Amino acid sequence: AQKVTQAQTEISVVEKEDVTLDCVYETRDTTYYLFWYKQPPSGELVFLIRRNSFDEQNEISGRYSWNFQKSTSSFNFTITASQVVDSAVYFCALSEYETGANNLFFGTGTRLTVIP
Amino acid sequence: GAVVSQHPSWVICKSGTSVKIECRSLDFQATTMFWYRQFPKQSLMLMATSNEGSKATYEQGVEKDKFLINHASLTLSTLTVTSAHPEDSSFYICSANPGLSSSYNEQFFGPGTRLTVL
């Protein structure tokens, strides 16, 4: 069964618009970790955030914010006032505690294009 | 800290040749390293997990004899694509796990190696 679902394959927004990238996960573990990574055209994965399953507080970092909702198994990512440099593929990922970091399940990614 | 490098960053080779890709943890020791493969416009798929001093664990469907992994030291893992064919053309990404020194064993990713087989 797919563990991480990113239903949005591609999104295009105009610069300065806000955009939310959806992530829905599936796990039987009570302890798990969720991640967001950014992959710009260069290919290198850029770590954005890690959240453990016991911490449902939303987090804000500059123009980025994350909404973790265990009730709906979602970990959505919002970019406020998007910029052209935000154009990239964004991956949501899940790591289950029982398997530690040995199994990092990636979603299929959402390609974000910010149009100037 | 927690920097992982890969070499080469890109390589073009002829069909039938073997290609070696290196993954190094520059400022920490990695008991475990991971190799991922990413086809264009697709997600990262774990190929194998390598532990220092032992044999790699391959994911289902990954040919052990084709993708040779060696984790000879705590800072270096190598992936050798043997007798490469055009279908092996892909973006190969490694990651490293600091191991017991971390409160949570997370993975730090290298910049990737783009392999093109002609």
Side-chain angles (χ1 to χ4, degrees):
Chain A
Q2 189 168 5
K3 302 239 180 187
V4 180
T5 301
Q6 294 180 255
Q8 305 149 307
T9 307
E10 296 191 25
I11 300 177
S12 291
V13 297
V14 177
E15 200 171 21
K16 297 184 183 178
E17 287 184 347
D18 299 347
V19 58
T20 296
L21 310 181
D22 299 333
C23 174
V24 175
Y25 62 91
E26 176 188 331
T27 179
R28 293 180 183 174
D29 279 15
T30 56
T31 303
Y32 52 89
Y33 301 86
L34 295 163
F35 302 79
W36 275 96
Y37 290 91
K38 174 183 180 179
Q39 188 178 42
S42 63
E44 183 168 0
L45 280 177
V46 178
F47 168 82
L48 296 178
I49 190 172
R50 179 185 74 228
R51 173 70 61 192
N52 74 57
S53 53
F54 297 109
D55 183 1
E56 283 194 76
Q57 277 192 331
N58 291 331
E59 182 157 339
I60 298 175
S61 176
R63 296 184 297 107
Y64 296 168
S65 62
W66 290 269
N67 184 351
F68 178 25
Q69 302 246 347
K70 287 180 75 171
S71 60
T72 56
S73 297
S74 65
F75 186 44
N76 296 337
F77 172 33
T78 298
I79 302 175
T80 304
S82 59
Q83 300 176 1
V84 174
V85 293
D86 296 328
S87 297
V89 180
Y90 291 86
F91 290 99
C92 179
L94 164 73
S95 176
E96 295 166 321
Y97 179 75
E98 281 193 11
T99 55
N102 284 357
N103 275 331
L104 195 59
F105 298 99
F106 283 88
T108 50
T110 297
R111 181 176 299 276
L112 173 65
T113 301
V114 180
I115 304 165
Chain B
V3 179
V4 176
S5 70
Q6 277 183 245
H7 178 81
S9 55
W10 59 270
V11 57
I12 301 173
C13 69
K14 292 183 179 179
S15 185
T17 60
S18 294
V19 175
K20 180 186 284 189
I21 303 170
E22 292 185 349
C23 177
R24 293 181 185 273
S25 56
L26 298 184
D27 50 4
F28 66 96
Q29 292 186 330
T31 56
T32 306
M33 289 185 171
F34 307 88
W35 287 96
Y36 294 84
R37 182 174 182 175
Q38 185 182 27
F39 289 110
K41 297 191 176 183
Q42 293 190 24
S43 188
L44 283 76
M45 299 301 295
L46 180 65
M47 298 175 66
T49 302
S50 74
N51 294 294
E52 187 265 338
S54 63
K55 291 185 178 180
T57 303
Y58 290 81
E59 295 299 302
Q60 193 173 8
V62 178
E63 298 176 60
K64 301 179 183 181
D65 296 332
K66 183 166 188 60
F67 298 100
L68 301 179
I69 292 173
N70 185 294
H71 193 160
S73 77
L74 286 172
T75 59
L76 173 64
S77 176
T78 59
L79 167 68
T80 301
V81 183
T82 62
S83 187
H85 290 285
E87 57 265 31
D88 298 323
S89 298
S90 188
F91 192 54
Y92 293 87
I93 305 174
C94 75
S95 69
N97 181 331
L100 299 177
S101 62
S102 285
S103 58
Y104 166 72
N105 294 339
E106 62 182 283
Q107 298 181 29
F108 299 96
F109 287 86
T113 297
R114 192 165 302 280
L115 170 64
T116 301
V117 185
L118 302 177

PDB file of all heavy atoms in Angstrom, chain B residues 92-107:
ATOM      1  N   TYR B  92      21.005   9.042  -9.583  1.00  0.00           N
ATOM      2  CA  TYR B  92      21.276   8.205  -8.420  1.00  0.00           C
ATOM      3  C   TYR B  92      21.636   9.107  -7.241  1.00  0.00           C
ATOM      4  O   TYR B  92      22.547   9.933  -7.327  1.00  0.00           O
ATOM      5  CB  TYR B  92      22.401   7.220  -8.717  1.00  0.00           C
ATOM      6  CG  TYR B  92      22.012   6.175  -9.751  1.00  0.00           C
ATOM      7  CD1 TYR B  92      22.178   6.428 -11.105  1.00  0.00           C
ATOM      8  CD2 TYR B  92      21.439   4.968  -9.361  1.00  0.00           C
ATOM      9  CE1 TYR B  92      21.784   5.497 -12.060  1.00  0.00           C
ATOM     10  CE2 TYR B  92      21.056   4.027 -10.303  1.00  0.00           C
ATOM     11  CZ  TYR B  92      21.227   4.302 -11.650  1.00  0.00           C
ATOM     12  OH  TYR B  92      20.837   3.376 -12.580  1.00  0.00           O
ATOM     13  N   ILE B  93      20.931   8.909  -6.149  1.00  0.00           N
ATOM     14  CA  ILE B  93      21.133   9.743  -4.965  1.00  0.00           C
ATOM     15  C   ILE B  93      21.492   8.866  -3.779  1.00  0.00           C
ATOM     16  O   ILE B  93      20.846   7.842  -3.553  1.00  0.00           O
ATOM     17  CB  ILE B  93      19.861  10.539  -4.622  1.00  0.00           C
ATOM     18  CG1 ILE B  93      19.389  11.370  -5.821  1.00  0.00           C
ATOM     19  CG2 ILE B  93      20.093  11.453  -3.422  1.00  0.00           C
ATOM     20  CD1 ILE B  93      18.049  12.060  -5.596  1.00  0.00           C
ATOM     21  N   CYS B  94      22.492   9.269  -3.051  1.00  0.00           N
ATOM     22  CA  CYS B  94      22.820   8.519  -1.845  1.00  0.00           C
ATOM     23  C   CYS B  94      22.451   9.356  -0.623  1.00  0.00           C
ATOM     24  O   CYS B  94      22.296  10.572  -0.705  1.00  0.00           O
ATOM     25  CB  CYS B  94      24.295   8.147  -1.793  1.00  0.00           C
ATOM     26  SG  CYS B  94      25.393   9.518  -1.387  1.00  0.00           S
ATOM     27  N   SER B  95      22.288   8.686   0.472  1.00  0.00           N
ATOM     28  CA  SER B  95      22.089   9.391   1.739  1.00  0.00           C
ATOM     29  C   SER B  95      22.851   8.634   2.818  1.00  0.00           C
ATOM     30  O   SER B  95      23.188   7.465   2.650  1.00  0.00           O
ATOM     31  CB  SER B  95      20.606   9.499   2.094  1.00  0.00           C
ATOM     32  OG  SER B  95      20.079   8.227   2.421  1.00  0.00           O
ATOM     33  N   ALA B  96      23.116   9.331   3.894  1.00  0.00           N
ATOM     34  CA  ALA B  96      23.896   8.732   4.973  1.00  0.00           C
ATOM     35  C   ALA B  96      23.208   8.958   6.305  1.00  0.00           C
ATOM     36  O   ALA B  96      22.596   9.998   6.541  1.00  0.00           O
ATOM     37  CB  ALA B  96      25.301   9.325   4.995  1.00  0.00           C
ATOM     38  N   ASN B  97      23.326   7.961   7.159  1.00  0.00           N
ATOM     39  CA  ASN B  97      22.716   7.976   8.479  1.00  0.00           C
ATOM     40  C   ASN B  97      23.826   8.042   9.520  1.00  0.00           C
ATOM     41  O   ASN B  97      24.673   7.165   9.546  1.00  0.00           O
ATOM     42  CB  ASN B  97      21.901   6.694   8.639  1.00  0.00           C
ATOM     43  CG  ASN B  97      21.181   6.593   9.961  1.00  0.00           C
ATOM     44  OD1 ASN B  97      21.639   7.137  10.949  1.00  0.00           O
ATOM     45  ND2 ASN B  97      20.065   5.904   9.955  1.00  0.00           N
ATOM     46  N   PRO B  98      23.813   9.051  10.371  1.00  0.00           N
ATOM     47  CA  PRO B  98      24.892   9.167  11.368  1.00  0.00           C
ATOM     48  C   PRO B  98      24.931   8.040  12.378  1.00  0.00           C
ATOM     49  O   PRO B  98      25.933   7.827  13.043  1.00  0.00           O
ATOM     50  CB  PRO B  98      24.587  10.495  12.066  1.00  0.00           C
ATOM     51  CG  PRO B  98      23.697  11.221  11.142  1.00  0.00           C
ATOM     52  CD  PRO B  98      22.904  10.186  10.409  1.00  0.00           C
ATOM     53  N   GLY B  99      23.818   7.316  12.514  1.00  0.00           N
ATOM     54  CA  GLY B  99      23.826   6.171  13.407  1.00  0.00           C
ATOM     55  C   GLY B  99      23.555   6.549  14.852  1.00  0.00           C
ATOM     56  O   GLY B  99      22.818   7.465  15.148  1.00  0.00           O
ATOM     57  N   LEU B 100      24.156   5.868  15.755  1.00  0.00           N
ATOM     58  CA  LEU B 100      23.814   5.972  17.173  1.00  0.00           C
ATOM     59  C   LEU B 100      24.083   7.335  17.769  1.00  0.00           C
ATOM     60  O   LEU B 100      23.558   7.667  18.818  1.00  0.00           O
ATOM     61  CB  LEU B 100      24.585   4.915  17.970  1.00  0.00           C
ATOM     62  CG  LEU B 100      24.284   3.464  17.588  1.00  0.00           C
ATOM     63  CD1 LEU B 100      25.161   2.525  18.397  1.00  0.00           C
ATOM     64  CD2 LEU B 100      22.806   3.155  17.813  1.00  0.00           C
ATOM     65  N   SER B 101      24.886   8.123  17.119  1.00  0.00           N
ATOM     66  CA  SER B 101      25.220   9.421  17.693  1.00  0.00           C
ATOM     67  C   SER B 101      24.050  10.393  17.618  1.00  0.00           C
ATOM     68  O   SER B 101      24.052  11.428  18.249  1.00  0.00           O
ATOM     69  CB  SER B 101      26.429  10.024  16.983  1.00  0.00           C
ATOM     70  OG  SER B 101      26.135  10.230  15.613  1.00  0.00           O
ATOM     71  N   SER B 102      23.070  10.064  16.830  1.00  0.00           N
ATOM     72  CA  SER B 102      21.915  10.960  16.698  1.00  0.00           C
ATOM     73  C   SER B 102      20.780  10.480  17.591  1.00  0.00           C
ATOM     74  O   SER B 102      20.579   9.297  17.762  1.00  0.00           O
ATOM     75  CB  SER B 102      21.410  10.993  15.261  1.00  0.00           C
ATOM     76  OG  SER B 102      22.262  11.754  14.470  1.00  0.00           O
ATOM     77  N   SER B 103      20.026  11.395  18.122  1.00  0.00           N
ATOM     78  CA  SER B 103      18.838  11.007  18.893  1.00  0.00           C
ATOM     79  C   SER B 103      17.789  10.445  17.965  1.00  0.00           C
ATOM     80  O   SER B 103      16.966   9.644  18.335  1.00  0.00           O
ATOM     81  CB  SER B 103      18.290  12.219  19.641  1.00  0.00           C
ATOM     82  OG  SER B 103      17.972  13.247  18.727  1.00  0.00           O
ATOM     83  N   TYR B 104      17.799  10.886  16.749  1.00  0.00           N
ATOM     84  CA  TYR B 104      16.926  10.295  15.750  1.00  0.00           C
ATOM     85  C   TYR B 104      17.761  10.063  14.506  1.00  0.00           C
ATOM     86  O   TYR B 104      18.429  10.955  14.027  1.00  0.00           O
ATOM     87  CB  TYR B 104      15.746  11.198  15.419  1.00  0.00           C
ATOM     88  CG  TYR B 104      15.050  10.739  14.172  1.00  0.00           C
ATOM     89  CD1 TYR B 104      14.287   9.589  14.175  1.00  0.00           C
ATOM     90  CD2 TYR B 104      15.229  11.409  12.982  1.00  0.00           C
ATOM     91  CE1 TYR B 104      13.693   9.137  13.015  1.00  0.00           C
ATOM     92  CE2 TYR B 104      14.639  10.964  11.810  1.00  0.00           C
ATOM     93  CZ  TYR B 104      13.871   9.827  11.845  1.00  0.00           C
ATOM     94  OH  TYR B 104      13.300   9.370  10.701  1.00  0.00           O
ATOM     95  N   ASN B 105      17.706   8.868  14.008  1.00  0.00           N
ATOM     96  CA  ASN B 105      18.535   8.521  12.864  1.00  0.00           C
ATOM     97  C   ASN B 105      17.931   9.035  11.579  1.00  0.00           C
ATOM     98  O   ASN B 105      17.123   8.369  10.955  1.00  0.00           O
ATOM     99  CB  ASN B 105      18.709   7.006  12.799  1.00  0.00           C
ATOM    100  CG  ASN B 105      19.491   6.478  13.969  1.00  0.00           C
ATOM    101  OD1 ASN B 105      20.214   7.219  14.608  1.00  0.00           O
ATOM    102  ND2 ASN B 105      19.344   5.211  14.257  1.00  0.00           N
ATOM    103  N   GLU B 106      18.311  10.229  11.198  1.00  0.00           N
ATOM    104  CA  GLU B 106      17.777  10.748   9.955  1.00  0.00           C
ATOM    105  C   GLU B 106      18.802  10.601   8.849  1.00  0.00           C
ATOM    106  O   GLU B 106      19.952  10.278   9.083  1.00  0.00           O
ATOM    107  CB  GLU B 106      17.381  12.212  10.118  1.00  0.00           C
ATOM    108  CG  GLU B 106      18.520  13.145  10.462  1.00  0.00           C
ATOM    109  CD  GLU B 106      17.988  14.557  10.643  1.00  0.00           C
ATOM    110  OE1 GLU B 106      17.723  15.204   9.609  1.00  0.00           O
ATOM    111  OE2 GLU B 106      17.865  14.995  11.792  1.00  0.00           O
ATOM    112  N   GLN B 107      18.365  10.844   7.652  1.00  0.00           N
ATOM    113  CA  GLN B 107      19.218  10.685   6.492  1.00  0.00           C
ATOM    114  C   GLN B 107      19.614  12.044   5.949  1.00  0.00           C
ATOM    115  O   GLN B 107      18.799  12.948   5.839  1.00  0.00           O
ATOM    116  CB  GLN B 107      18.491   9.896   5.407  1.00  0.00           C
ATOM    117  CG  GLN B 107      18.111   8.479   5.818  1.00  0.00           C
ATOM    118  CD  GLN B 107      17.420   7.727   4.701  1.00  0.00           C
ATOM    119  OE1 GLN B 107      17.666   7.978   3.522  1.00  0.00           O
ATOM    120  NE2 GLN B 107      16.551   6.796   5.054  1.00  0.00           N
TER     121      GLN B 107
END
